[in-house]
């Protein structure tokens, strides 16, 4: 069954917990206390709801994609998180954690970022709420995502290059956790997904579940299938959670199949990984026989992560959500398909969800299918142009 909150040890079944350095434990306990207190406070809820409405632009629309529905022989609806301010669902979480930072009396925020999307969403919230903002980013990502680095700087954030390892997201999270240890009195760490030590997976789920709650109000029927891409798992958790346990709805999380599962170069932590501890939580992760973390691969930077939120690990074992994968190639093809049939350029992450729907269309005939369109694809246009060229 679905759990409203993790157990006393911060676990969802066997997964989650707080595998963190001793120096961070007081901060994690304070954070849990502050979150519980804020979440029960109508004042905090009201402030957040106001910003989500007037600043982020919520509720995001649910759009009936009629041309693509006709082509696929099913009824396709898009939950338009791409229309949220900054172009993806990530802002739902960063605004809420920004408000919580102020409530805790802290003035400084740190965050990690891969492609830069969470960094931009965090820098945006910090500009809005007058918080100092420092973003850790791997050197390889800084090179690949120069425009997002400049965006964060425009928004007043400082970007700190992380040189260790492959210079990507995994190293950026580790560096941010280390940075937090040395500044925990003054600083809050805004994690970008439903990952990390307790209470983050639970708290970020609570901040993202507004997506599914809106859908319940907007779509005047229970859909047959809800599909979302899974990187760390926050947009999927957000749209799934209100429906988890409802046996009328099939929930499908789509992971990055990269070059193909058989090549070993993918980001399918749930499909192909095994339980282990990554970034403070017990969860499914990509690891070798010695427990060393393997590098993920995906065309989509947001899905290029060797772990996944622990509550998804729990859902997988309980059979509450089905986890599948599609390849880079399938995602790229879906990216083009949505652009030409509906005039919407999706994020490559979101294109993974659509690719699964396209592949399974025959089995989904006549079904009402909702895709969480987690973000817009403007950030990916240059990369796709280079690949197509
Ligand atoms: C970051 C990102 C994702 C992946 O992160 P989740 O935590 O799995 O949601 C998916 N889509 C978009 C548009 C993103 O920016």
């Amino acid at each position: 069954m679905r759990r409203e909150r993790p157990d006393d040890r911060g676990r969802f079944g066997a997964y989650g917990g707080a595998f963190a350095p001793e120096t961070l434990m007081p901060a994690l306990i304070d954070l849990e206390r502050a979150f519980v207190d804020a979440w029960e406070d109508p004042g905090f809820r009201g402030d957040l709801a106001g910003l989500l409405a007037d600043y982020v632009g919520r509720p995001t629309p649910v759009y009936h994609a009629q041309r693509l529905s006709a082509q696929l022989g099913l009824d396709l609806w898009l939950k338009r998180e791409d229309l949220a301010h900054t172009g993806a669902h990530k802002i739902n979480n960063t605004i809420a954690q920004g408000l919580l930072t102020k409530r805790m009396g802290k003035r400084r925020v740190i965050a990690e970022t891969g492609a830069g999307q969470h960094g931009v969403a965090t820098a945006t919230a910090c500009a809005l709420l007058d918080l100092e903002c420092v973003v850790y980013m791997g050197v390889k990502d800084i090179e690949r995502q120069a425009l997002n680095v400049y965006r964060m700087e425009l928004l007043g954030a400082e970007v700190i290059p992380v040189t260790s390892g492959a210079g990507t997201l995994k190293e950026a999270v580790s560096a941010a956790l280390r940075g937090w240890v040395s500044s925990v009195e003054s600083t809050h760490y805004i994690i970008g997904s439903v990952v990390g030590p307790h209470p983050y997976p639970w708290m970020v789920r609570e901040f993202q579940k507004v997506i599914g709650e809106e859908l319940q109000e907007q779509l005047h029927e229970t859909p047959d299938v809800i599909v979302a891409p899974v990187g760390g798992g926050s947009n999927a958790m957000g749209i799934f959670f209100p429906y988890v346990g409802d046996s009328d709805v099939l929930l499908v999380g789509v992971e990055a199949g990269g070059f193909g599962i058989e090549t070993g170069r993918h980001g399918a932590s749930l499909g192909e990984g095994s339980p282990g501890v990554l970034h403070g939580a017990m969860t499914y992760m990509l690891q070798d026989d010695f427990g060393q973390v393997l590098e993920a691969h995906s065309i989509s930077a947001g899905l290029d992560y060797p772990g996944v939120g622990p509550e998804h690990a729990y859902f997988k074992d309980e059979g509450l959500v089905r986890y599948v994968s599609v390849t880079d190639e399938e995602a790229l093809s879906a990216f083009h398909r949505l652009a030409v049939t509906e005039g919407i350029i999706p994020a490559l992450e979101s294109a993974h969800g659509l690719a699964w729907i396209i592949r399974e269309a025959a089995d989904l005939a006549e079904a009402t299918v909702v895709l969480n369109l987690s973000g817009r694809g403007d950030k990916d246009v240059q990369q796709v142009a280079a690949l197509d060229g």
Side-chain angles (χ1 to χ4, degrees):
M1 262 317 292
R2 178 179 97 169
R3 293 166 190 233
E4 288 306 318
R5 52 179 298 174
D7 71 16
D8 294 345
R9 296 181 307 156
R11 298 218 181 192
F12 302 97
Y15 302 103
F19 296 82
E22 220 173 306
T23 39
L24 280 187
M25 290 313 290
L28 292 170
I29 290 165
D30 283 352
L31 177 59
E32 176 177 6
R33 219 173 272 144
F35 164 63
V36 169
D37 184 66
W39 212 222
E40 285 171 356
D41 175 4
F44 181 87
R45 293 270 192 152
D47 290 348
L48 178 59
L51 288 175
L52 290 180
D54 301 334
Y55 186 76
V56 175
R58 305 206 70 87
T60 58
V62 174
Y63 167 69
H64 189 202
Q66 297 191 33
R67 290 194 62 213
L68 198 47
S69 292
Q71 288 179 11
L72 297 174
L74 46 80
D75 216 15
L76 179 64
W77 298 78
L78 307 176
K79 180 61 172 155
R80 300 289 308 271
E81 291 302 295
D82 61 316
L83 295 178
H85 180 47
T86 69
H89 66 289
K90 288 196 171 75
I91 191 94
N92 302 329
N93 170 45
T94 60
I95 295 265
Q97 286 202 50
L99 283 176
L100 194 57
T101 305
K102 298 204 93 158
R103 196 179 162 100
M104 290 187 292
K106 295 185 174 183
R107 294 266 318 118
R108 183 171 176 271
V109 157
I110 59 174
E112 84 295 339
T113 198
Q117 296 305 110
H118 174 59
V120 169
T122 302
T124 301
C126 288
L128 173 73
L129 300 170
D130 190 22
L131 294 163
E132 189 188 330
C133 181
V134 172
V135 180
Y136 292 85
M137 190 170 184
V139 281
K140 186 173 164 196
D141 287 332
I142 287 181
E143 206 180 283
R144 290 193 289 193
Q145 304 288 341
L147 206 55
N148 269 343
V149 174
Y150 184 58
R151 268 194 195 105
M152 288 183 261
E153 289 168 352
L154 275 178
L155 293 161
E158 181 192 354
V159 178
I160 298 190
V162 178
T163 53
S164 54
T168 59
L169 178 60
K170 173 164 72 75
E171 291 80 22
V173 179
S174 302
L177 280 166
R178 276 196 303 276
W180 198 26
V181 170
S182 61
S183 63
V184 70
E185 290 294 321
S186 64
T187 303
H188 174 58
Y189 175 23
I190 299 189
I191 289 187
S193 189
V194 286
V195 300
H198 175 72
Y200 282 102
W202 170 43
M203 178 173 73
V204 177
R205 175 249 275 172
E206 289 296 297
F207 293 154
Q208 290 290 1
K209 74 179 184 188
V210 63
I211 304 172
E213 288 171 349
E214 285 174 6
L215 181 65
Q216 285 180 317
E217 295 212 347
Q218 291 167 315
L219 197 69
H220 301 292
E221 58 180 307
T222 301
D224 300 307
V225 188
I226 302 176
V227 182
V230 177
S234 68
N235 84 87
M237 188 58 72
I239 197 165
F240 290 167
F241 191 74
Y243 294 91
V244 171
D246 180 342
S247 55
D248 292 338
V249 193
L250 173 65
L251 303 173
V252 180
V254 184
E255 294 190 296
F259 287 120
I261 295 296
E262 68 289 351
T263 65
R265 300 200 58 198
H266 55 74
S269 318
L270 286 160
E272 298 297 314
S274 53
V277 172
L278 181 64
H279 296 142
M282 173 70 72
T283 187
Y284 277 81
M285 58 187 277
L286 301 176
Q287 57 186 325
D288 67 14
D289 292 342
F290 301 96
Q292 294 298 307
V293 188
L294 294 171
E295 230 181 289
H297 168 82
S298 174
I299 191 175
S300 155
L303 306 186
D304 203 346
Y305 180 64
V308 66
E311 198 170 9
H312 283 291
Y314 172 71
F315 289 167
K316 174 188 160 83
D317 284 10
E318 294 287 308
L320 292 166
V321 175
R322 187 171 154 203
Y323 296 95
V324 299
S325 65
V326 303
T327 64
D328 287 352
E329 206 179 310
E330 290 173 296
L332 201 53
S333 159
F335 175 93
H336 285 288
R337 182 89 177 259
L338 192 66
V340 294
T341 51
E342 297 288 347
I344 297 170
I345 300 174
L348 279 170
E349 292 84 0
S350 321
H352 280 69
L354 180 60
W356 182 82
I357 296 168
I358 292 172
R359 189 213 283 161
E360 302 296 322
D363 285 340
L364 298 173
E366 309 292 321
T368 299
V369 181
V370 177
L371 170 66
N372 200 20
L373 197 71
S374 53
R376 66 176 183 231
D378 303 48
K379 67 183 179 61
D380 300 317
V381 165
Q382 224 178 356
Q383 185 190 352
V384 172
L387 287 167
D388 287 347

